Amino acid sequence: MKVVLFCGGQGMRLREFSDKIPKPMVPIGYRPILWYIMKYYAHFGHRDFILCLGYMGDTIKNYFVNYDEYISNDFVYAKGGNHLDLLNKDIDDWTITFADTGINTSLGERLLAVKKYLQGEECFLVNYSDVLTDLPLPEMIDTFHRLDKTGMFMVTPPQRSFHVVHFNEDKDVNEISLLCNSGLWAR
């Protein structure tokens, strides 16, 4: 199952970083938040990623093209630096599609732009590239398949609100509008 990550926003809520790096590249320790999100999905076996790039997308491309496995893995350094033997690897089994989807593109337009990379997929996952979770992903996917719905998402009440989600009695989404966020599951 492929994972689509929205990496194109301008990071307006992270002003101290967004002039220098895109929001997905904000560091947590020595790796960017995007890496941790991808590791989360990879942990559950989802290792085929589509990155919807926009604002400073070249920074994200350069990060992965110049990726250094030794930073987050054990290794043996020998022969005066002429030999570096990695003892394990992070991303060698990942497939990453980098899709330039535009700087001022909406989420729907970004998803439509990568539709061609989702051909043949019965189901796929989508996430923002600045959202970490400990959600039990297999349980959510099982619930989604059991309910036989078109889409499912998780929302949580943020510190500051940006979206409103309206539900009917069956907790089906009726309307999504910008402003503040509900804290319910939508099915």
Side-chain angles (χ1 to χ4, degrees), residues 112-161:
L112 190 57
V114 301
K115 180 180 178 181
K116 59 189 168 202
Y117 304 122
L118 294 167
Q119 294 300 317
E121 293 293 310
E122 179 182 322
C123 188
F124 60 92
L125 301 164
V126 181
N127 200 353
Y128 290 107
S129 60
D130 64 346
V131 178
L132 292 170
T133 183
D134 62 354
L135 172 78
L137 189 60
E139 292 174 28
M140 188 186 97
I141 293 170
D142 289 346
T143 300
F144 172 72
H145 287 301
R146 189 173 58 255
L147 293 172
D148 193 31
K149 298 290 183 173
T150 301
M152 182 173 165
F153 68 101
M154 180 189 74
V155 293
T156 60
Q159 296 292 348
R160 290 194 282 162
S161 300

Side-chain angles (χ1 to χ4, degrees), residues 6-24 26 55-56 103-105 110 128-130 160 162-163:
F6 296 126
C7 304
Q10 296 183 28
M12 303 307 280
R13 294 180 300 242
L14 285 173
R15 274 307 197 204
E16 64 274 12
F17 288 103
S18 61
D19 290 338
K20 299 174 186 80
I21 59 173
K23 192 165 47 170
V26 170
Y55 178 71
M56 298 182 78
I103 291 177
N104 296 313
T105 310
R110 290 186 196 286
Y128 290 107
S129 60
D130 64 346
R160 290 194 282 162
F162 296 98
H163 301 352

Side-chain angles (χ1 to χ4, degrees), residues 149 151-155 164-177 184-187:
K149 298 290 183 173
M152 182 173 165
F153 68 101
M154 180 189 74
V155 293
V164 171
V165 180
H166 300 279
F167 298 90
N168 65 19
E169 308 80 52
D170 298 324
K171 294 189 179 176
D172 290 327
V173 175
N174 284 340
E175 174 186 336
I176 300 173
S177 56
L184 303 173
W185 275 86
R187 297 185 172 130

Side-chain angles (χ1 to χ4, degrees), residues 83-94:
H83 180 76
L84 189 137
D85 184 24
L86 287 166
L87 301 176
N88 55 319
K89 295 185 178 186
D90 292 324
I91 70 169
D92 66 324
D93 59 349
W94 293 6

Side-chain angles (χ1 to χ4, degrees), residues 2-63:
K2 292 185 179 184
V3 180
V4 176
L5 296 173
F6 296 126
C7 304
Q10 296 183 28
M12 303 307 280
R13 294 180 300 242
L14 285 173
R15 274 307 197 204
E16 64 274 12
F17 288 103
S18 61
D19 290 338
K20 299 174 186 80
I21 59 173
K23 192 165 47 170
M25 299 307 291
V26 170
I28 298 175
Y30 50 79
R31 293 284 188 207
I33 191 170
L34 177 60
W35 181 86
Y36 289 98
I37 293 166
M38 294 168 81
K39 286 291 283 184
Y40 164 78
Y41 283 104
H43 171 77
F44 293 109
H46 307 287
R47 296 178 179 97
D48 195 344
F49 301 97
I50 300 170
L51 304 184
C52 298
L53 303 175
Y55 178 71
M56 298 182 78
D58 58 321
T59 304
I60 297 169
K61 289 177 183 179
N62 287 330
Y63 175 78

